[in-house]
Amino acid sequence: GWHMNSAVRSTKSQEMLDTARGLNTAVLCAALLAVCVAGWHMNSAGQSELFQTSVEAVPQQTTELSFLQTSSFVDQVYLYAGLAVDNKHETGFIAKEIRKHNYQTQIRLFTSLDDATVRAVLWDQGVHCLVWPPFVRYPGISETAKTDLRAYAAAGNNVVFMGNYVAVQFMNDVFGFQLTDDYQNGPYYRNDRNVRNTPYQFLPSRVEQASIETYAVKTRSLPPGGKSMLDSLGATQAFVIRYDLGTVCYIGYNYNTPFHADQWTRVLHCAIDM
């Protein structure tokens, strides 16, 4: 009997010991779980704070990134490099600036304004943008070539003029505009009403005056379909005119100094990308 009682007590003690071990194991697991959860929350909070900091930093770069990430930039551009422009100081620089951030873009130069050359350029089906650098003299172009230039724009292509009053007069003569010269000191402001859904929407809200050689047009002299993209006090320094299916663009700067050149390069890219 004594041996039987001892066996029973031993069995019960073993069961109690197993139960205590089970409880200890459960408590230990619960503690470990609590530590893991606390660590996860701290890590999540840190990641959340880091993410919030990153998001807060993004708006400052949004405009720049949007500008640089536009993948639809033209792959070929015709650039006039004849006697009516400054090939020694400006044409090469402008060609370089066109390709800035757009190194896949090919610049195709033409130097003559005779009817055959102009027609060959304008009838090239693979190129849909023609850029005229700032004129140093009025370009000698025939009425036939003017007609071809109007037809080129009307067919859905883009003609870009750059910076001075000779270009304004040339635009009036070719396209029948009645643009009036004007001048205002900078800075110049993005016209948020007109830039929507155009490449110009990625410009900074203010563009500094690069030099005194920034030539404007009176905004009220723009024809129907004309929209100012940069302006100040009734003068527009960059505008776009819808011409049938195409566009005629103007940038009132002659790119003769690298001062604030980056901002005006972006304006040039916007005009070309129309």
Side-chain angles (χ1 to χ4, degrees):
W2 178 82
H3 282 292
M4 291 178 64
N5 288 335
S6 296
V8 170
R9 284 196 298 270
S10 177
T11 301
K12 289 184 176 181
S13 297
Q14 184 65 38
E15 290 177 351
M16 292 175 64
L17 181 60
D18 292 342
T19 301
R21 287 176 177 172
L23 290 174
N24 289 338
T25 302
V27 170
L28 180 60
C29 290
L32 290 174
L33 180 61
V35 171
C36 292
V37 170
W40 180 82
H41 279 295
M42 291 178 63
N43 189 42
S44 297
Q47 289 181 346
S48 177
E49 182 179 357
L50 178 60
F51 179 73
Q52 184 176 2
T53 303
S54 300
V55 170
E56 290 173 353
V58 164
Q60 301 177 8
Q61 301 180 5
T62 299
T63 300
E64 181 69 21
L65 290 174
S66 298
F67 171 73
L68 295 178
Q69 290 173 355
T70 50
S71 59
S72 60
F73 197 76
V74 296
D75 57 357
Q76 294 186 78
V77 172
Y78 268 115
L79 180 68
Y80 172 66
L83 297 177
V85 297
D86 184 355
N87 290 305
K88 183 176 181 180
H89 299 101
E90 292 185 354
T91 307
F93 175 73
I94 290 170
K96 178 182 176 181
E97 292 302 288
I98 291 174
R99 298 186 70 241
K100 190 174 185 178
H101 305 304
N102 302 291
Y103 298 111
Q104 80 287 352
T105 300
Q106 296 181 10
I107 307 298
R108 304 178 64 175
L109 302 178
F110 69 103
T111 59
S112 174
L113 292 177
D114 65 71
D115 290 351
T117 301
V118 172
R119 180 160 292 186
V121 168
L122 300 180
W123 285 19
D124 187 338
Q125 297 297 315
V127 185
H128 303 285
C129 183
L130 170 62
V131 177
W132 300 88
F135 294 123
V136 294
R137 62 181 60 86
Y138 193 90
I141 188 171
S142 71
E143 292 300 320
T144 299
K146 291 179 182 178
T147 300
D148 287 343
L149 190 54
R150 287 191 295 269
Y152 176 79
N157 298 298
N158 185 24
V159 184
V160 178
F161 292 92
M162 302 167 64
N164 53 39
Y165 297 137
V166 179
V168 173
Q169 185 59 52
F170 185 66
M171 294 166 68
N172 286 341
D173 292 344
V174 172
F175 296 99
F177 302 149
Q178 295 181 340
L179 303 171
T180 304
D181 302 348
D182 199 359
Y183 181 84
Q184 291 291 342
N185 290 319
Y188 310 114
Y189 297 92
R190 182 186 65 205
N191 191 314
D192 289 336
R193 181 181 60 183
N194 293 337
V195 300
R196 285 180 295 181
N197 300 319
T198 76
Y200 291 89
Q201 67 184 337
F202 301 121
L203 287 178
S205 59
R206 189 174 87 168
V207 174
E208 301 298 329
Q209 182 175 2
S211 74
I212 60 171
E213 297 185 46
T214 305
Y215 305 88
V217 164
K218 292 184 184 298
T219 305
R220 65 172 182 267
S221 71
L222 293 178
K227 292 184 177 181
S228 172
M229 301 297 172
L230 283 178
D231 47 52
S232 177
L233 301 175
T236 173
Q237 290 75 29
F239 59 83
V240 177
I241 299 174
R242 177 62 61 184
Y243 192 82
D244 204 348
L245 299 178
T247 47
V248 178
C249 303
Y250 174 78
I251 305 166
Y253 175 54
N254 66 357
Y255 294 82
N256 64 345
T257 172
F259 187 61
H260 291 305
D262 285 345
Q263 288 189 330
W264 286 96
T265 296
R266 293 176 64 175
V267 178
L268 175 59
H269 288 178
C270 292
I272 291 173
D273 210 21
M274 287 295 295

PDB file of all heavy atoms in Angstrom, residues 43 45 61 121 126 207 227 233 238:
ATOM      1  N   ASN A  43       9.505  49.991 -35.403  1.00  0.00           N
ATOM      2  CA  ASN A  43      10.066  50.007 -36.753  1.00  0.00           C
ATOM      3  C   ASN A  43       9.102  50.631 -37.741  1.00  0.00           C
ATOM      4  O   ASN A  43       9.470  51.404 -38.614  1.00  0.00           O
ATOM      5  CB  ASN A  43      10.414  48.580 -37.168  1.00  0.00           C
ATOM      6  CG  ASN A  43      11.191  48.547 -38.475  1.00  0.00           C
ATOM      7  OD1 ASN A  43      12.085  49.369 -38.668  1.00  0.00           O
ATOM      8  ND2 ASN A  43      10.872  47.623 -39.337  1.00  0.00           N
ATOM      9  N   ALA A  45       6.793  52.790 -37.017  1.00  0.00           N
ATOM     10  CA  ALA A  45       6.730  54.228 -36.754  1.00  0.00           C
ATOM     11  C   ALA A  45       7.910  54.940 -37.388  1.00  0.00           C
ATOM     12  O   ALA A  45       7.782  56.009 -37.979  1.00  0.00           O
ATOM     13  CB  ALA A  45       6.700  54.474 -35.240  1.00  0.00           C
ATOM     14  N   GLN A  61      10.833  68.939 -55.657  1.00  0.00           N
ATOM     15  CA  GLN A  61      11.485  68.418 -56.851  1.00  0.00           C
ATOM     16  C   GLN A  61      10.492  67.990 -57.924  1.00  0.00           C
ATOM     17  O   GLN A  61      10.891  67.586 -59.000  1.00  0.00           O
ATOM     18  CB  GLN A  61      12.358  67.220 -56.477  1.00  0.00           C
ATOM     19  CG  GLN A  61      13.435  67.555 -55.447  1.00  0.00           C
ATOM     20  CD  GLN A  61      14.281  66.340 -55.106  1.00  0.00           C
ATOM     21  OE1 GLN A  61      14.123  65.289 -55.697  1.00  0.00           O
ATOM     22  NE2 GLN A  61      15.169  66.487 -54.153  1.00  0.00           N
ATOM     23  N   VAL A 121      13.568  70.818 -96.712  1.00  0.00           N
ATOM     24  CA  VAL A 121      13.468  70.787 -95.246  1.00  0.00           C
ATOM     25  C   VAL A 121      12.016  70.628 -94.817  1.00  0.00           C
ATOM     26  O   VAL A 121      11.680  69.778 -93.970  1.00  0.00           O
ATOM     27  CB  VAL A 121      14.076  72.073 -94.637  1.00  0.00           C
ATOM     28  CG1 VAL A 121      13.724  72.186 -93.155  1.00  0.00           C
ATOM     29  CG2 VAL A 121      15.588  72.097 -94.840  1.00  0.00           C
ATOM     30  N   GLY A 126       9.925  63.117 -91.737  1.00  0.00           N
ATOM     31  CA  GLY A 126      10.430  62.595 -90.472  1.00  0.00           C
ATOM     32  C   GLY A 126      10.723  63.648 -89.420  1.00  0.00           C
ATOM     33  O   GLY A 126      11.033  63.321 -88.280  1.00  0.00           O
ATOM     34  N   VAL A 207      10.476  83.022 -64.068  1.00  0.00           N
ATOM     35  CA  VAL A 207      11.699  82.886 -64.853  1.00  0.00           C
ATOM     36  C   VAL A 207      12.435  84.219 -64.805  1.00  0.00           C
ATOM     37  O   VAL A 207      11.858  85.272 -65.107  1.00  0.00           O
ATOM     38  CB  VAL A 207      11.384  82.493 -66.314  1.00  0.00           C
ATOM     39  CG1 VAL A 207      12.653  82.494 -67.157  1.00  0.00           C
ATOM     40  CG2 VAL A 207      10.701  81.128 -66.370  1.00  0.00           C
ATOM     41  N   LYS A 227      -1.626  82.313 -77.233  1.00  0.00           N
ATOM     42  CA  LYS A 227      -1.639  82.264 -75.768  1.00  0.00           C
ATOM     43  C   LYS A 227      -0.260  82.583 -75.219  1.00  0.00           C
ATOM     44  O   LYS A 227       0.742  82.004 -75.648  1.00  0.00           O
ATOM     45  CB  LYS A 227      -2.079  80.882 -75.270  1.00  0.00           C
ATOM     46  CG  LYS A 227      -3.538  80.560 -75.561  1.00  0.00           C
ATOM     47  CD  LYS A 227      -3.935  79.227 -74.949  1.00  0.00           C
ATOM     48  CE  LYS A 227      -5.412  78.945 -75.168  1.00  0.00           C
ATOM     49  NZ  LYS A 227      -5.832  77.659 -74.546  1.00  0.00           N
ATOM     50  N   LEU A 233       3.271  92.352 -66.920  1.00  0.00           N
ATOM     51  CA  LEU A 233       2.718  93.692 -67.149  1.00  0.00           C
ATOM     52  C   LEU A 233       2.268  93.915 -68.588  1.00  0.00           C
ATOM     53  O   LEU A 233       2.606  94.918 -69.221  1.00  0.00           O
ATOM     54  CB  LEU A 233       3.744  94.752 -66.743  1.00  0.00           C
ATOM     55  CG  LEU A 233       4.207  94.697 -65.272  1.00  0.00           C
ATOM     56  CD1 LEU A 233       5.311  95.711 -65.023  1.00  0.00           C
ATOM     57  CD2 LEU A 233       3.029  94.927 -64.340  1.00  0.00           C
ATOM     58  N   ALA A 238       7.114  84.742 -73.985  1.00  0.00           N
ATOM     59  CA  ALA A 238       7.033  83.412 -74.610  1.00  0.00           C
ATOM     60  C   ALA A 238       5.574  83.128 -74.896  1.00  0.00           C
ATOM     61  O   ALA A 238       4.746  83.182 -73.988  1.00  0.00           O
ATOM     62  CB  ALA A 238       7.625  82.335 -73.701  1.00  0.00           C
TER      63      ALA A 238
END
